[in-house]
Amino acid sequence: MPVDGSSPVLLDGDEWQSYFRDFKRSAFRLEAHQIYTMPGETATVRAFLAGDEEPDAFNSDWHKLISDHAAAGRTMTRAKLVRRPLTDYSRYLFEWCIPGNVAAGENYQIVDLTDKENPGLPEQDFWMFDETTVVHLNYRPDGTQVNRELIQEPDLGKYLAWRDLALENAVPFSGYRT
């Protein structure tokens, strides 16, 4: 799936996690899909759909990472594209995941495309770190992640424009009404 004609550089494990530990200024995620099928979330999504209460300390390690970055003056921003009616997975995010991320200091934005034409945003999920490093998150149509691909020599202007376009068309999670 390389976009630049080169061999893909796939990220996993500690190498992938290091991007979240080591960024210096900013991390931005465009979340384009409506369904994600992540093995590590299977039990909690199932519990959510069964009507269970959110577990104590849910996502606490991620929240600590966000709050540590925020305390150091580094930003974590996410723009989530949604279409109503929300999928079960999006409802899970909205009720169990996003509120804790926001409370920890993540700037979580919602781009609702339900009654609008897409303003030109890609269907490609990506993280951009420090406005210099881009990693595509590649998924199958069922939401299963295929891989995480470091983009070599990305067209940063394109990714920065997509970030800005997403944020221009977004509302803060706290102000979004489903």
Side-chain angles (χ1 to χ4, degrees), residues 61-74:
D61 291 342
W62 180 249
H63 297 155
K64 179 165 179 9
L65 179 79
I66 294 168
S67 63
D68 287 350
H69 282 304
R74 295 181 291 272

Side-chain angles (χ1 to χ4, degrees), residues 1-2 28 45 56 58 69 90 126 147-148 151 155 172 176:
M1 291 184 204
F28 171 81
V45 171
D56 290 336
F58 180 68
H69 282 304
S90 289
F126 67 88
N147 59 31
R148 292 172 292 269
I151 303 304
D155 177 350
Y176 181 72

Side-chain angles (χ1 to χ4, degrees), residues 18-76:
S18 71
Y19 285 88
F20 294 97
R21 285 191 310 268
D22 300 339
F23 71 87
K24 304 297 183 214
R25 294 177 311 283
S26 65
F28 171 81
R29 164 95 186 259
L30 180 68
E31 214 170 81
H33 297 293
Q34 304 304 298
I35 298 170
Y36 296 92
T37 309
M38 305 302 292
E41 293 178 330
T42 301
T44 55
V45 171
R46 187 178 13 242
F48 167 78
L49 293 174
D52 294 353
E53 293 292 318
E54 182 179 320
D56 290 336
F58 180 68
N59 280 347
S60 59
D61 291 342
W62 180 249
H63 297 155
K64 179 165 179 9
L65 179 79
I66 294 168
S67 63
D68 287 350
H69 282 304
R74 295 181 291 272
T75 61
M76 293 183 78

Side-chain angles (χ1 to χ4, degrees), residues 1-137:
M1 291 184 204
V3 295
D4 62 4
S6 63
S7 298
V9 176
L10 304 181
L11 302 173
D12 206 1
D14 190 61
E15 183 180 19
W16 169 235
Q17 294 304 314
S18 71
Y19 285 88
F20 294 97
R21 285 191 310 268
D22 300 339
F23 71 87
K24 304 297 183 214
R25 294 177 311 283
S26 65
F28 171 81
R29 164 95 186 259
L30 180 68
E31 214 170 81
H33 297 293
Q34 304 304 298
I35 298 170
Y36 296 92
T37 309
M38 305 302 292
E41 293 178 330
T42 301
T44 55
V45 171
R46 187 178 13 242
F48 167 78
L49 293 174
D52 294 353
E53 293 292 318
E54 182 179 320
D56 290 336
F58 180 68
N59 280 347
S60 59
D61 291 342
W62 180 249
H63 297 155
K64 179 165 179 9
L65 179 79
I66 294 168
S67 63
D68 287 350
H69 282 304
R74 295 181 291 272
T75 61
M76 293 183 78
T77 304
R78 195 178 312 227
K80 167 99 179 112
L81 308 183
V82 299
R83 291 172 186 86
R84 286 178 270 145
L86 296 178
T87 63
D88 287 343
Y89 187 85
S90 289
R91 289 187 316 101
Y92 160 76
L93 286 178
F94 277 53
E95 293 182 38
W96 278 22
C97 301
I98 299 172
N101 291 4
V102 170
E106 184 174 13
N107 175 12
Y108 214 111
Q109 302 286 312
I110 305 298
V111 181
D112 192 330
L113 299 175
T114 302
D115 298 319
K116 300 177 192 146
E117 201 168 307
N118 184 323
L121 295 168
E123 292 293 322
Q124 174 67 57
D125 282 42
F126 67 88
W127 277 99
M128 181 170 47
F129 300 96
D130 294 326
E131 300 182 343
T132 61
T133 304
V134 175
V135 177
H136 281 188
L137 296 104

Side-chain angles (χ1 to χ4, degrees), residues 145-159:
Q145 191 172 70
V146 175
N147 59 31
R148 292 172 292 269
E149 178 184 356
L150 177 66
I151 303 304
Q152 300 175 63
E153 300 180 32
D155 177 350
L156 290 172
K158 176 174 69 174
Y159 290 94

